[in-house]
Amino acid sequence: MRKSFLAVLCVAMTAGGAELRPPSVPIVSCDPYFSIWSGADAPNLVDTEIWHGAKQPVSVEIELDGVRYRLLGKGHGGHSELSAGKTWSIGSRRSADRPALRCVRTEVRPLTSVYTFTDGAAEVRLSFMTPKMADELDVFSRPVTYATVETSGARKVRVFAEISPALATDDDSAEMVTNRFEVAGMPAYSIGRKEQTPLVRYGDCVRCDWGYACLVNPVSEGTSAHFMLAYDDVKTLQFLDREVPAWWRRGGKPFRTMLEEAAADRERLRAKADRFDAALSSELERVGGVRYRELAALAYRQSFAACKLVAGPDGQPLYFSKENSSNGCIGTVDVFYPQLPLLLLT
């Protein structure tokens, strides 16, 4: 099955020595409704967006010795300063005029995207890791992406992360509400529509119109700072006219409990993801060369971001893929057929 996976992925190879420039770099690659990408040569030139192109801004900024730079997004600002329970609309975002730190390298691994920046004196690495490793289904199912900012040199460093309400609505005029809480001693906040109507919207090129986008640890200090991006969809999908929960939520596990577990797992999963990325990347390059490795790593992220793992009516794990341009159906053979080698491999 390993050879089958490698053979099917071996398409559209390109020549040359330069690194592959993906058409869009995965930032969050959890599932069809929590899928955020950056479509520019540098991540701080454009807003991030969901897979079909609608804007879903996530901003990351860094302060080096008192000077603040953009790492991701255009730097809208203001979201993390909102008071708990305050209602507001997407149009109320403030703009922040920060210089963009120069991005010198982009790398897409099977589980991790890594950007490298420099201000001429220090090197800054911004990474996003989604632990889609199928040997731990509870972890695989969590709608969580881990972000890390690492800085070289003895510098005074602060990192600021923010999310937009556009992550939690398909209607940019909707009234939104924020909630504040703590996760493993870290500050966190969530954003969602004031009026929640789960599982009533479906189709092509739509964003999740219910649930709550979440950011854990929006402001941190030190040469190794971290935060988590997460999404509580509350209700996941209907299967044969029955509502079925996300796999991690089977048995009624609260979202807050899942976040606590994810926070406790961060270092273990980062180390495991590094090993996974290195092993799979090495094998891909051995079989097909550098270009093959780069394309296959991107295919891994795209493939798993198109699917959702749920607990079926009898408690069994069911894995569904989402159509992207033919009425939004799930589980159709033309979608999961080309993914089968990857599913067999993992």
Side-chain angles (χ1 to χ4, degrees), residues 16 23 49 109 119 122 167 170 182 259 262-263 267 283 302 307 345:
E49 55 193 27
R109 304 170 186 168
D119 68 348
L167 271 66
D170 194 60
E182 281 195 356
L259 287 180
E267 287 304 320
E283 183 175 3
Q302 291 174 320
C307 302
L345 177 77

Side-chain angles (χ1 to χ4, degrees), residues 23 25 56-57 66 146 178 224 245 297 319 323 327-328 332 342-343:
V25 175
Q56 286 196 321
Y146 298 89
T178 60
S224 182
Y319 196 53
E323 291 268 6
N327 85 4
T332 56
L342 178 57
L343 298 178

Side-chain angles (χ1 to χ4, degrees), residues 193-216:
R193 291 186 61 145
K194 185 177 181 181
E195 295 185 7
Q196 290 283 317
T197 53
L199 298 179
V200 299
R201 187 172 179 80
Y202 59 91
D204 292 329
C205 299
V206 295
R207 292 174 276 168
C208 196
D209 209 26
W210 64 88
Y212 301 88
C214 178
L215 175 62
V216 179

Side-chain angles (χ1 to χ4, degrees), residues 1 36 53 60 70 80 90 101 120 172 197 210 241 279 311 313:
M1 69 181 65
I36 302 172
V60 181
R70 296 197 320 272
S80 60
I90 293 175
L101 199 60
D172 287 351
T197 53
W210 64 88
D241 296 323

Side-chain angles (χ1 to χ4, degrees), residues 228-248:
M228 296 193 306
L229 298 161
Y231 202 108
D232 181 7
D233 62 5
V234 184
K235 295 184 178 181
T236 296
L237 60 84
Q238 292 176 340
F239 174 65
L240 302 178
D241 296 323
R242 296 176 61 176
E243 292 183 2
V244 293
W247 179 254
W248 68 264

Side-chain angles (χ1 to χ4, degrees), residues 269-304:
L269 291 176
R270 278 194 66 193
K272 184 177 180 180
D274 285 345
R275 295 192 299 269
F276 182 95
D277 281 345
L280 183 54
S281 296
S282 176
E283 183 175 3
L284 292 168
E285 186 168 337
R286 178 184 63 81
V287 171
V290 173
R291 277 290 178 269
Y292 181 71
R293 166 180 58 79
E294 293 171 332
L295 286 170
L298 185 60
Y300 190 103
R301 303 287 287 285
Q302 291 174 320
S303 177
F304 283 128

